């Protein structure tokens, strides 16, 4: 009889351990920000991005290791300019920022004075900073006075994992209302800014509002405003100006899309043991195999929002997937998921009972007749 004690049963792997194994045990998780969450919510069917973001994988390093590095991001000059403008807006204890909030969003309230409160939000780690922010919001709401929270830390659960978000500022009004402030370095000319950039800022602000609502729901008298304040340079100067932005639509869309996201634990459970996205410990071939193990939902819009977009585009083109042609084309083609299937249907060799195939065949026939008629006219 063996003198060794019986072996204990294997302990179940927790989700945190599983995600750490996916990104590499020695690799710290890359935190999600509002920009990433806005992009994630815009493409909720992409399990690949949901898993990689949920696990905190550095997608830029992964894309580089796959041979398809990302080709977007802010220039260093733009970052420095943005930081300089934000410091100017928040100077003197946030006096100018509070003045803009009062003038545009709460003119009936008593104007903020020189003694407006700016609490210290310093704490250890994102969890500590989020707890300190929640405490500051509670104190400011109870005090019923103008309060500026500079770079607070907010927590929001996304696909089963916590995400820590850092807006530029949150202002607490004397009536207990909380307002998100977005400070951007693009200009506001004659009272209006670039619509695409304003839309992107609104989607990011919607994520902050959703996170704030979680905290406000636990405090009596607290209310999160659905109108955020966008602060930009006026015309071509460095003087700040502001414009209210109603984000109710963006908030509703983002909430709905985040709720639809596949939970990270379900995606991780479907992967084989030992799979990893760590470029430091895996070869390019192993990384390609690991990435391919998670389904993606590529669309051309991903090129402006995801570091893996070029890799996913190459794979979609190689497979002849119609997703490479855009969401609108994909939606019109219905059950026809590849370019080859679409061309076959247009040639009349598709399923006669499929209305999409019949419509493609008719469109191809009309196009051929039009080209033949045009050639006859030219001749």
């Amino acid at each position: 009889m063996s003198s060794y004690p019986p072996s204990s049963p294997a302990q179940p792997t927790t989700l945190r351990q599983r995600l750490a194994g996916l990104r590499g045990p020695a690799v710290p998780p890359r935190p999600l920000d509002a920009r990433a969450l806005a992009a994630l919510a815009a493409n909720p069917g992409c399990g690949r991005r949901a898993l990689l973001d949920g696990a905190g994988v550095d997608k830029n390093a992964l894309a580089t290791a796959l041979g398809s590095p990302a080709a977007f991001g802010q220039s260093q000059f733009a970052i420095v300019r943005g930081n300089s403008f934000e410091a100017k807006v928040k100077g003197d204890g946030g006096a100018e920022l509070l003045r803009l909030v009062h003038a545009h969003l709460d003119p009936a309230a008593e104007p903020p004075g020189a003694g407006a409160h700016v609490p210290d939000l310093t704490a250890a780690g994102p969890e500590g900073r989020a707890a300190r922010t929640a405490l500051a919001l509670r104190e400011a709401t109870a005090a019923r006075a103008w309060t500026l929270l500079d770079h607070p830390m907010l927590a929001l659960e996304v696909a089963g994992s916590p995400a820590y978000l850092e807006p530029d500022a949150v202002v607490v009004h004397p009536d207990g209302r909380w307002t998100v402030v977005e400070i951007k370095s693009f200009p506001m000319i004659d009272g209006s800014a670039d619509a695409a950039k304003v839309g992107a800022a609104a989607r990011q602000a919607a994520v902050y509002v959703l996170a704030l609502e979680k905290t406000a729901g636990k405090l009596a008298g607290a209310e999160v405003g659905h109108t955020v304040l966008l602060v930009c340079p006026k015309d071509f100067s460095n003087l700040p100006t502001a414009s209210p932005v109603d984000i109710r639509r963006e908030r509703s869309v983002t909430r709905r899309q985040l709720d639809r996201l596949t939970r990270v634990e379900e995606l991780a459970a479907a992967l084989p043991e030992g799979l990893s996205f760590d470029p430091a410990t895996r070869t390019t071939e192993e990384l390609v195999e690991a990435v391919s193990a998670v389904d993606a939902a590529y669309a051309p819009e991903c090129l402006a929002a995801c570091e893996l977009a070029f890799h996913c585009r190459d794979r979609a083109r190689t497979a002849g997937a119609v997703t490479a042609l855009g969401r609108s084309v994909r939606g019109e083609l219905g059950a026809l998921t590849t370019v080859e299937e679409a061309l076959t249907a247009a040639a009349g060799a598709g399923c006669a009972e499929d209305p999409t195939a019949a419509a493609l065949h008719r469109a191809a026939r009309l196009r051929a007749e039009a080209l033949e008629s045009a050639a006859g006219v030219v001749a």
Side-chain angles (χ1 to χ4, degrees):
M1 178 181 295
S2 173
S3 61
Y4 289 99
S7 59
S8 58
Q11 296 297 317
T13 303
T14 65
L15 177 61
R16 184 183 296 272
Q17 292 171 330
R18 180 65 169 135
L19 296 182
L22 289 176
R23 68 174 177 268
V27 180
R30 188 176 182 85
L32 282 170
D33 57 16
R35 187 188 301 270
L37 284 180
L40 184 62
N43 192 6
C46 186
R48 183 174 297 172
R49 173 149 197 170
L51 178 65
L52 294 176
D53 282 346
V57 174
D58 186 345
K59 296 195 301 298
N60 190 39
L62 179 59
T64 301
L66 291 171
S68 303
F72 65 89
Q74 280 189 307
S75 68
Q76 191 63 34
F77 173 76
I79 293 174
V80 171
R81 182 181 59 186
N83 291 340
S84 174
F85 178 69
E86 181 176 336
K88 179 180 179 65
V89 173
K90 294 179 179 177
D92 297 327
E96 178 64 14
L97 178 55
L98 290 172
R99 184 191 69 79
L100 291 171
V101 172
H102 174 264
H104 289 275
L105 297 180
D106 204 356
E110 181 181 350
H117 191 40
V118 183
D120 181 10
L121 303 179
T122 305
E127 297 92 343
R129 290 186 58 199
R132 181 67 189 89
T133 295
L135 177 60
L137 286 168
R138 182 181 299 109
E139 294 172 345
T141 304
R144 298 286 173 173
W146 287 104
T147 304
L148 170 63
L149 276 66
D150 185 7
H151 283 289
M153 183 65 72
L154 310 175
L156 180 66
E157 184 173 308
V158 180
S161 290
Y164 294 97
L165 315 170
E166 188 177 3
D168 293 327
V170 171
V171 172
V172 180
H173 299 240
D175 61 359
R177 181 156 41 103
W178 303 349
T179 292
V180 172
V181 179
E182 278 286 271
I183 303 173
K184 300 296 183 183
S185 60
F186 55 80
M188 193 175 293
I189 301 173
D190 292 333
S192 62
D194 182 87
K197 294 179 180 179
V198 172
R203 288 190 291 273
Q204 289 183 46
V207 177
Y208 299 137
V209 167
L210 288 172
L212 276 175
E213 288 177 343
K214 295 292 185 181
T215 304
K218 304 174 184 177
L219 298 179
E223 177 190 356
V224 182
H226 290 165
T227 298
V228 304
L229 193 68
L230 178 63
V231 180
C232 300
K234 182 178 181 181
D235 298 327
F236 299 101
S237 70
N238 200 37
L239 299 176
T241 187
S243 176
V245 179
D246 189 331
I247 54 93
R248 284 177 293 183
R249 183 179 68 85
E250 288 80 4
R251 177 204 168 278
S252 297
V253 171
T254 303
R255 175 75 279 168
R256 184 169 61 251
Q257 299 292 58
L258 290 178
D259 287 343
R260 290 174 54 195
L261 285 173
T262 304
R263 295 184 65 81
V264 171
E265 52 261 44
E266 296 175 1
L267 293 169
L271 299 177
E273 289 293 332
L275 185 141
S276 174
F277 302 103
D278 183 9
T281 60
R282 295 293 187 272
T283 64
T284 300
E285 292 75 16
E286 290 173 328
L287 290 175
V288 170
E289 183 179 355
V291 170
S292 300
V294 189
D295 290 336
Y298 171 77
E301 293 84 353
C302 297
L303 293 173
C306 182
E307 295 87 342
L308 285 179
F310 292 97
H311 173 79
C312 296
R313 182 184 63 177
D314 292 342
R315 293 290 159 170
R317 287 176 172 176
T318 301
V322 296
T323 53
L325 303 177
R327 290 195 178 100
S328 59
V329 175
R330 174 68 185 90
E332 292 289 341
L333 292 178
L336 304 176
T337 59
T338 67
V339 174
E340 183 178 355
E341 290 176 350
L343 294 176
T344 300
C351 177
E353 298 178 357
D354 184 352
T356 303
L360 274 177
H361 180 47
R362 182 171 181 273
R365 190 172 66 251
L366 292 175
R367 177 179 181 275
E369 292 175 358
L371 291 175
E372 184 178 351
S373 176
V377 171
V378 173

